[in-house]
Amino acid sequence: MPLFNVYPLYDVTPVSANGVYVYDENNTEYLDLYGGHAVISIGHGHPKYVEAITKQVAKLGFYSNAIQNPLQKQLAAKLEVLSGCKEYQLFLCNSGAEANENALKLASFKTGKSRVIAFKNGFHGRTSAAVAATDNTAIIAPINAQQKVTILELNDIVGVKRELEKGDVCAVIVEFIQGVGGLDQATAQFFEKVDALCKANNTFFIADEVQSGYGRSGKFFAFQHYNVTPDIISIAKGMGNGFPIGGIFIHPTIEAKFGMLGTTFGGNHLACVAGLSVLNVIEEDRLMDNVNEISKYFIKIAKTIPQIKIIKGRGLMLGLEFDYEVGDLRKKLIYDYQIFTGGAANKKLLRILPPLNVKKEHINQFFKALVHALNT
Ligand SMILES: Cc1ncc(COP(=O)(O)O)c(C=O)c1O
């Protein structure tokens, strides 16, 4: 049976990985500054993570949400401490799109409204409401296009106010640092005004932290760089270090009702243990401190390279913008220098999304290769 051919693939076949390195079938070593699309948070094959998952799968890998699962409560308790989001409630699912789908659905249930405000170049996933709120017509099928979504420019506060005052908007969804779109960020004034406008108009403010969360921005959540209080926060990528798990934080004022949300696989035993071990490692290895230190180091070196025109993003969610398209440069970095980097909708942007425990020596390895690649 052929695979449904939807992915343009690089000709690399990783078979193992360790820390920030990935190895192919010939044992060629690749430096992973892409983290499997910002998913690898604590590094590949972290021994504590491997041990925790191995032990749990031998004990009980899965049971459905019909029984007591204390691991979910442990995960929620740890998340509350590390995120600093006091008294939010947690609903667990399996991916970023699913997290946003549940966030939008909950906003609609609770406000009784159905239109969504989202932003240009935003990406929220490929399920029904999430993809409709994504600014890419190529991935919106007619069945998704039935959703009522208004896409505005980032920083268009006049537009947000105008639309919210029409009274039919259930949610404003935003990435505080755009991922797939290309690392753009709105101003603090914009985010804080949107937050206030949502509160004044019975509209949920949804922070899509699927990519920017889990310490990647240098704080646990990217929205924490601002003075805002989201009603819902969606999480996924870094949460399981590759084990599929997602979730939403739900503000304490939002009441649950049996059956309102649900999932078969979400919050299963193995996923919770993966999630717990990720949080333990983030805490014990002080990975957020490392993010801030390495980010400063990276940006300092990037500033010395004349071909780099703009440095975007925060923490270890960074973008290097050139004044030409970087597709060939990415290929060169993979095939000639064995370094994975990321691309974006902005074709001039090279994305850097390494595991959060990347070290200075790896950054040096990258810049040595980049400078050589740019000058040969
Ligand atoms: C900000 C953001 N939201 C949602 C998603 C969708 O996540 P998933 O691919 O796990 O469904 C992504 C994926 O890239 C993302 O970057």
Side-chain angles (χ1 to χ4, degrees), residues 145-214:
Q146 300 175 81
Q147 308 274 349
K148 288 186 269 176
V149 176
T150 304
I151 305 270
L152 299 174
E153 295 280 344
L154 272 182
N155 290 327
D156 178 10
I157 197 62
V158 175
V160 173
K161 185 168 189 292
R162 181 189 63 232
E163 296 304 326
L164 290 193
E165 286 177 351
K166 289 180 185 167
D168 62 338
V169 176
C170 64
V172 173
I173 184 165
V174 72
E175 294 161 272
F176 282 76
I177 307 170
Q178 290 191 329
V180 176
L183 282 309
D184 288 307
Q185 300 170 72
T187 62
Q189 205 190 8
F190 175 77
F191 286 134
E192 288 165 16
K193 195 81 210 282
V194 171
D195 186 45
L197 282 168
C198 282
K199 287 172 179 54
N201 287 282
N202 182 30
T203 298
F204 277 20
F205 191 23
I206 302 174
D208 180 346
E209 294 274 0
V210 164
Q211 188 164 150
S212 55
Y214 265 75

Side-chain angles (χ1 to χ4, degrees), residues 37 95-97 100 123-125 175 180 208 210-211 237:
H37 205 91
S95 70
N100 285 329
F123 185 91
H124 302 292
E175 294 161 272
V180 176
D208 180 346
V210 164
Q211 188 164 150
K237 288 184 188 293

Side-chain angles (χ1 to χ4, degrees), residues 119-133:
F119 296 95
K120 195 153 189 287
N121 268 329
F123 185 91
H124 302 292
R126 291 166 181 272
T127 56
S128 186
V131 79

Side-chain angles (χ1 to χ4, degrees), residues 81-362:
V81 174
L82 288 206
S83 71
C85 293
K86 294 277 171 269
E87 290 169 20
Y88 276 72
Q89 308 155 84
L90 179 67
F91 175 76
L92 291 164
C93 57
N94 309 285
S95 70
E98 220 187 300
N100 285 329
E101 196 73 22
N102 280 296
L104 292 166
K105 188 175 190 173
L106 187 53
S108 182
F109 266 139
K110 286 291 175 181
T111 61
K113 304 190 268 189
S114 58
R115 190 158 62 103
V116 172
I117 302 292
F119 296 95
K120 195 153 189 287
N121 268 329
F123 185 91
H124 302 292
R126 291 166 181 272
T127 56
S128 186
V131 79
T134 286
D135 182 29
N136 180 353
T137 48
I139 62 169
I140 299 178
I143 196 168
N144 313 123
Q146 300 175 81
Q147 308 274 349
K148 288 186 269 176
V149 176
T150 304
I151 305 270
L152 299 174
E153 295 280 344
L154 272 182
N155 290 327
D156 178 10
I157 197 62
V158 175
V160 173
K161 185 168 189 292
R162 181 189 63 232
E163 296 304 326
L164 290 193
E165 286 177 351
K166 289 180 185 167
D168 62 338
V169 176
C170 64
V172 173
I173 184 165
V174 72
E175 294 161 272
F176 282 76
I177 307 170
Q178 290 191 329
V180 176
L183 282 309
D184 288 307
Q185 300 170 72
T187 62
Q189 205 190 8
F190 175 77
F191 286 134
E192 288 165 16
K193 195 81 210 282
V194 171
D195 186 45
L197 282 168
C198 282
K199 287 172 179 54
N201 287 282
N202 182 30
T203 298
F204 277 20
F205 191 23
I206 302 174
D208 180 346
E209 294 274 0
V210 164
Q211 188 164 150
S212 55
Y214 265 75
R216 187 159 287 282
S217 78
K219 293 193 185 257
F220 196 86
F221 287 127
F223 81 78
Q224 292 168 328
H225 295 279
Y226 307 99
N227 186 16
V228 296
T229 311
D231 298 284
I232 306 181
I233 305 155
S234 48
I235 51 178
K237 288 184 188 293
M239 196 174 178
N241 200 46
F243 194 96
I245 179 170
I248 49 177
F249 281 31
I250 302 158
H251 194 270
T253 53
I254 302 168
E255 265 180 51
K257 197 172 118 190
F258 284 160
M260 182 180 251
L261 304 178
T263 157
T264 298
F265 294 113
N268 68 70
H269 298 69
L270 204 46
C272 286
V273 161
L276 268 167
S277 62
V278 166
L279 291 174
N280 288 335
V281 172
I282 288 179
E283 187 179 38
E284 286 162 16
D285 295 0
R286 305 184 66 82
L287 292 191
M288 285 198 278
D289 291 345
N290 190 59
V291 169
N292 288 310
E293 188 190 336
I294 300 295
S295 179
K296 270 193 214 131
Y297 185 71
F298 185 99
I299 291 169
K300 198 170 148 201
I301 303 178
K303 281 183 177 160
T304 66
I305 298 176
Q307 290 95 334
I308 296 171
K309 300 303 171 198
I310 309 175
I311 303 162
K312 290 182 164 175
R314 279 182 191 272
L316 291 177
M317 187 169 172
L318 294 166
L320 304 178
E321 191 165 313
F322 294 78
D323 54 9
Y324 50 85
E325 295 195 1
V326 296
D328 287 343
L329 176 62
R330 277 185 75 203
K331 280 191 192 144
K332 215 167 166 185
L333 286 168
I334 291 186
Y335 297 125
D336 299 349
Y337 300 90
Q338 289 73 48
I339 298 178
F340 292 170
T341 57
N346 172 358
K347 300 265 177 269
K348 295 177 178 169
L349 199 84
L350 197 66
R351 274 206 295 165
I352 305 296
L353 303 161
L356 307 183
N357 51 8
V358 66
K359 296 194 169 58
K360 286 183 181 169
E361 70 209 50
H362 306 122

Side-chain angles (χ1 to χ4, degrees), residues 2-10 126 138-139:
L3 298 175
F4 198 52
N5 196 11
V6 289
Y7 301 112
L9 301 176
Y10 287 106
R126 291 166 181 272
I139 62 169

